[in-house]
């Protein structure tokens, strides 16, 4: 176990020796889809404007993370980050930092076709696009919006703009789309996208997650194995959340993020900043540390860095989903940032 942090500069290390170098930044809690496993049809009580970090505040905190705390990767998330009005300017400012972090974005793909080239020119390196089904009727039922064509166009636009590798994130739900694993992989292979299946996690606003109804990593791999030859990827996984397999001998790969049944907490290298300026040491944390209040009260960079390091020092060993005492976070994924 490492010693407690005593300075304002240095990496974001926790009590177990893990170092956070991957920063996830939520730009908004709002979304233009209403996915059934994420939020109710009427949406949620959104954060009020003054609660949200401003563009300059986000860039300042990212700069502190990169220049003082050793962060090397920045992922912008939401909600839906493409609906943040200042997105392009934020990306451009972060891309201008020295040292320059790798910059990516997780999106539902709506509007991506229109913005992809502009974001690439601003400095965005790549995108992850959520796509759970290739069936229009199912997509409409799942998201409560008839927008599948827009997501597919967004994927194509991202690839054409050079936001590669384009990664596709898919969540399978029992009795809903759990028969689509092979079709989704065929689609990804045909278009040169990298597919990642993600186990459904207890982060829905309705708190209706049921482990027994979750499609597990083993089930996903079994379904894929009936049509494809999968072999473990010999490449070093490192802190990546996805376990990857070579498809039919490679070079194509498919990944599975088994957050629930195959947790990777021991290698986690992530720190999270919510849209209202709270640091979260873990996606499933039940506590947060406020940076917005200190920032707006006039704290200097050294003090903000110290607070961030203190927040990460308290990171727990694991998410504890298997613990009978596990409590689902009060805030849903749309508010936390993926």
């Amino acid at each position: 176990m490492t010693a407690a942090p005593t300075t304002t500069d240095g990496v974001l290390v926790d009590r177990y020796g893990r170092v956070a170098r991957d920063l996830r930044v939520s730009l908004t809690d709002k979304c233009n889809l209403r996915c059934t496993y994420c939020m109710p049809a009427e949406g949620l009580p959104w954060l009020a404007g003054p609660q949200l970090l401003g563009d300059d505040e986000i860039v300042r905190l990212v700069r502190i993370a990169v220049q003082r705390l050793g962060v090397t990767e920045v992922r912008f998330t939401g909600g839906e980050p493409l609906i943040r009005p200042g997105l392009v300017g934020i990306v451009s400012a972060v891309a201008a930092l020295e040292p320059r972090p790798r910059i990516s974005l997780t999106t539902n793909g709506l509007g991506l076709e229109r913005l992809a080239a502009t974001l690439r020119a601003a400095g965005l390196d790549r995108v992850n696009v959520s796509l759970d089904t290739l069936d229009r009727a199912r997509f409409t039922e799942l998201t409560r919006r008839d927008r599948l064509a827009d997501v597919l166009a967004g994927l194509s636009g991202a690839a054409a703009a050079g936001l590669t590798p384009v990664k596709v994130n898919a969540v399978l739900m029992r009795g809903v789309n759990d028969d689509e694993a092979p079709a989704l992989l065929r689609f990804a292979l045909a278009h040169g996208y990298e597919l990642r299946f993600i186990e459904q996690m207890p982060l829905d606003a309705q708190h209706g997650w049921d482990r027994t109804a979750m499609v597990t990593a083993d089930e996903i791999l079994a379904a894929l194995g009936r049509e494809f030859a999968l072999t473990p990827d010999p490449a070093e996984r490192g802190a990546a959340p996805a376990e990857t397999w070579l498809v039919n001998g490679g070079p194509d790969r498919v990944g599975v993020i088994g957050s629930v049944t195959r947790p990777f907490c021991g290698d986690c290298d992530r720190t999270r900043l919510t849209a209202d300026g709270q640091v979260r040491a873990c996606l499933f944390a039940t506590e947060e540390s406020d940076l917005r209040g200190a920032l707006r009260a006039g704290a200097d960079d050294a003090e903000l860095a110290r607070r961030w390091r203190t927040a990460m020092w308290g990171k727990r060993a694991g998410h504890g989903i298997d613990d009978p005492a596990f409590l689902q976070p009060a805030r849903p994924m749309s508010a936390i940032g993926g």
Side-chain angles (χ1 to χ4, degrees):
M1 188 175 294
T2 58
T6 57
T7 67
T8 56
D9 292 321
V11 296
L12 290 168
V13 65
D14 65 32
R15 292 170 293 173
Y16 303 94
R18 296 168 298 192
V19 177
R21 300 190 185 280
D22 184 338
L23 169 61
R24 307 295 172 93
V25 182
S26 175
L27 297 180
T28 178
D29 60 325
K30 296 184 178 70
C31 188
N32 43 10
L33 293 180
R34 295 290 182 269
C35 296
T36 55
Y37 58 84
C38 185
M39 66 177 67
E42 65 273 15
L44 296 167
W46 310 121
L47 292 167
Q51 293 177 278
L52 295 172
L53 291 175
D55 294 359
D56 291 343
E57 291 175 323
I58 290 172
V59 173
R60 181 183 175 193
L61 291 175
V62 173
R63 176 177 56 76
I64 290 170
V66 170
Q67 296 182 344
R68 288 178 174 261
L69 298 172
V71 163
T72 58
E73 297 194 30
V74 177
R75 172 87 63 87
F76 292 114
T77 71
E80 174 45 53
L82 291 183
I83 65 177
R84 172 89 185 204
L87 172 61
V88 174
I90 292 170
V91 170
S92 179
V94 171
L97 294 175
E98 292 291 343
R100 184 197 188 282
R102 291 183 292 275
I103 308 170
S104 58
L105 179 141
T106 295
T107 172
N108 62 28
L110 301 189
L112 183 58
E113 181 185 29
R114 174 176 55 86
L115 285 172
T118 301
L119 287 168
R120 184 74 181 97
L124 188 67
D125 294 311
R126 65 169 196 82
V127 294
N128 285 45
V129 180
S130 299
L131 178 64
D132 301 324
T133 178
L134 296 169
D135 181 271
R136 179 179 174 183
R138 279 185 180 176
F139 184 94
T140 304
E141 180 181 1
L142 272 171
T143 68
R144 302 185 177 101
R145 302 289 188 272
D146 186 7
R147 303 294 297 274
L148 175 60
D150 296 307
V151 178
L152 298 180
L155 282 164
S156 297
L163 294 171
T164 55
V166 175
K167 295 186 179 180
V168 175
N169 296 339
V171 175
L172 298 183
M173 288 145 284
R174 197 174 306 284
V176 178
N177 64 338
D178 53 343
D179 60 336
E180 286 197 66
L184 284 163
L185 182 50
R186 286 194 299 271
F187 167 79
L189 295 176
H191 292 85
Y193 308 144
E194 294 189 11
L195 179 61
R196 299 287 185 269
F197 290 100
I198 305 175
E199 286 184 336
Q200 186 181 358
M201 295 178 282
L203 291 168
D204 59 306
Q206 305 93 312
H207 287 212
W209 180 83
D210 181 356
R211 185 187 179 109
T212 62
M214 180 189 71
V215 180
T216 67
D218 285 347
E219 291 176 289
I220 294 167
L221 291 169
L224 295 175
R226 287 191 281 271
E227 292 196 28
F228 303 93
L230 303 181
T231 54
D233 189 345
E236 180 66 33
R237 179 182 180 183
E243 291 181 81
T244 54
W245 283 262
L246 299 180
V247 180
N248 297 334
D252 295 312
R253 292 172 171 81
V254 63
V256 177
I257 300 176
S259 301
V260 178
T261 65
R262 300 185 181 199
F264 42 90
C265 301
D267 295 312
C268 180
D269 69 343
R270 279 163 289 291
T271 182
R272 298 175 185 278
L273 182 66
T274 66
D276 55 349
Q278 310 300 305
V279 169
R280 295 180 66 90
C282 172
L283 188 60
F284 299 97
T286 55
E287 62 283 325
E288 299 175 334
S289 299
D290 181 30
L291 288 186
R292 182 192 64 197
L295 184 154
R296 292 181 179 177
D300 62 16
D301 288 359
E303 172 62 13
L304 292 170
R306 185 194 67 78
R307 288 172 178 256
W308 204 326
R309 295 186 75 226
T310 299
M312 292 306 296
W313 180 254
K315 185 172 183 173
R316 298 178 182 179
H319 55 46
I321 292 177
D322 285 328
D323 189 325
F326 172 77
L327 294 176
Q328 182 173 337
R331 296 222 273 181
M333 176 72 92
S334 60
I336 295 170

